[in-house]
Amino acid sequence: MRTAIHVFDDASLFHIAAPQMVFGEVARLGLAEDWTTALWSLDGAAVRTAEGNTLSDVGDPSVADNADIVVIPTWPADLPQIGDGLRTVIGDAHARGAVIVGLCLGAVAVADTGLIAGRSAVTHWQWMSRLAQRDPTLRTDSSVLYIDHGDVITSAGTAASIDACLHIVRRFLGASAANRVARSLVVAPHRGGGQAQYIERPVADHPAGDPISDVCVWALAHLDHDLSVDELAARARMSRRSLVRNFRGATGMSPARWVLEQRLDEARVLLERTHWGMDRIAHACGFGSAVTMRQNFVKVYATTPSAYRATFGVAATATSPPQ
């Protein structure tokens, strides 16, 4: 398994190292023969990473000619369009059967090639909207850590690069091999949930006195109340139709969707910071029952409230006293 990793000046060393680390561990553990990685740049010259390290053992694009996997591990934060040279290398590799992998912002560069047009893709959550703008035919999905279409793989941000690389090991060598690599690297072999659970969703900032802003502030303080569209419309002194139209314009979503997100976000906070039981948390957040809370939590965050608490709760972090 020959992997060619594209590098360029100011690229993040972490993102470059992630596939080297995971695939290199396959070879170090003797799990497969000839799993190799090689770095390449468009001109074959050494590159200086964002952290100030110089990488001198860098080949030219011919490194990708015989690669089984071509990885674009990251991309500049200003998201420039890829040039014809990189587009050609990726396209030729894909045409002869290589798997193309866009890790984190590297997914944006892969999207520029058109290889995932009309398909689903993921990148770092902060740049998901920019990825969607790049190709309107894409279906972005912030609820997953990586997406594998067989020929093209994209991953969410930063640490999800490791998840995607472990998935590649699992895909080609099986779960046992991936688990051994994960144990050796002291990382989770298969993380539950997706990057949706890590996204911060601040409330849109609107001037005081604005009816939508005022009703949002009231709703946040009364999540355990009836927050139906009719109730919110009454609070805003608007018709139901007017509220829905203005609410969507202010927040980008329907009132019902916004309320659900705020309730789930509050549930996360309570799961992290308290030892309350699930029924009490569900009531405080306005869910009819712990079952309803769990169903919505799993649907949005792809993990259960219990699993989330086990990872992020006070017992796991040991940073807060019992409440």
Side-chain angles (χ1 to χ4, degrees):
M1 183 67 71
R2 299 175 296 271
T3 300
I5 304 167
H6 175 57
V7 295
F8 52 89
D9 284 330
D10 293 324
S12 161
L13 184 59
F14 176 92
H15 290 93
I16 296 170
Q20 290 183 300
M21 177 178 65
V22 174
F23 300 151
E25 200 66 13
V26 170
R28 286 187 287 272
L29 292 174
L31 298 173
E33 295 182 0
D34 300 326
W35 271 59
T36 62
T37 61
L39 306 180
W40 63 278
S41 62
L42 285 174
D43 58 6
V47 301
R48 187 173 177 81
T49 70
E51 295 79 11
N53 304 97
T54 298
L55 303 180
S56 57
D57 189 13
V58 176
D60 61 27
S62 65
V63 170
D65 288 348
N66 297 310
D68 303 291
I69 301 173
V70 175
V71 179
I72 313 301
T74 185
W75 199 240
D78 59 349
L79 306 186
Q81 293 282 336
I82 66 169
D84 291 338
L86 181 56
R87 189 192 307 273
T88 298
V89 173
I90 295 174
D92 289 349
H94 181 265
R96 61 176 174 72
V99 178
I100 307 302
V101 181
L103 301 177
C104 194
L105 295 186
V108 177
V110 173
D112 281 349
T113 67
L115 293 179
I116 47 178
R119 298 196 277 181
S120 56
V122 62
T123 187
H124 190 290
W125 64 265
Q126 288 182 303
W127 279 269
M128 286 289 280
S129 61
R130 296 284 299 278
L131 176 61
Q133 293 169 4
R134 206 69 159 207
D135 182 351
T137 71
L138 284 178
R139 301 188 304 278
T140 57
D141 187 352
S142 64
S143 70
V144 295
L145 294 173
Y146 53 83
I147 295 174
D148 184 355
H149 289 291
D151 58 330
V152 180
I153 298 172
T154 55
S155 86
T158 315
S161 298
I162 297 175
D163 293 284
C165 291
L166 283 171
H167 164 74
I168 291 171
V169 175
R170 190 180 303 109
R171 169 176 156 180
F172 288 102
L173 297 177
S176 178
N179 290 345
R180 284 194 61 190
V181 171
R183 282 196 300 270
S184 181
L185 298 176
V186 197
V187 297
H190 191 271
R191 283 198 292 167
Q195 71 167 336
Q197 61 187 281
Y198 312 113
I199 297 174
E200 297 177 0
R201 295 185 174 89
V203 179
D205 184 20
H206 301 290
D210 174 79
I212 299 301
S213 177
D214 290 347
V215 80
C216 286
V217 170
W218 178 84
L220 286 172
H222 298 84
L223 289 175
D224 58 336
H225 283 48
D226 170 26
L227 298 181
S228 64
V229 174
D230 288 335
E231 175 63 22
L232 296 178
R235 285 279 170 182
R237 297 184 179 179
M238 291 181 174
S239 68
R240 179 189 175 96
R241 184 174 181 180
S242 180
L243 175 86
V244 171
R245 182 180 68 252
N246 284 278
F247 205 98
R248 190 177 293 278
T251 67
M253 63 187 77
S254 69
R257 180 65 190 178
W258 182 87
V259 167
L260 176 60
E261 290 200 357
Q262 307 317 308
R263 284 176 165 158
L264 287 171
D265 199 54
E266 180 66 9
R268 292 194 305 173
V269 171
L270 294 176
L271 287 166
E272 291 173 14
R273 300 179 183 178
T274 76
H275 291 288
W276 292 3
M278 295 300 170
D279 287 332
R280 184 176 178 184
I281 292 175
H283 175 75
C285 297
F287 292 103
S289 67
V291 172
T292 301
M293 181 179 74
R294 185 183 189 280
Q295 290 172 340
N296 284 281
F297 204 95
V298 170
K299 184 177 181 180
V300 174
Y301 299 136
T303 190
T304 66
S306 297
Y308 185 88
R309 169 172 272 171
T311 302
F312 298 104
V314 290
T317 61
T319 58
S320 301
Q323 299 183 28

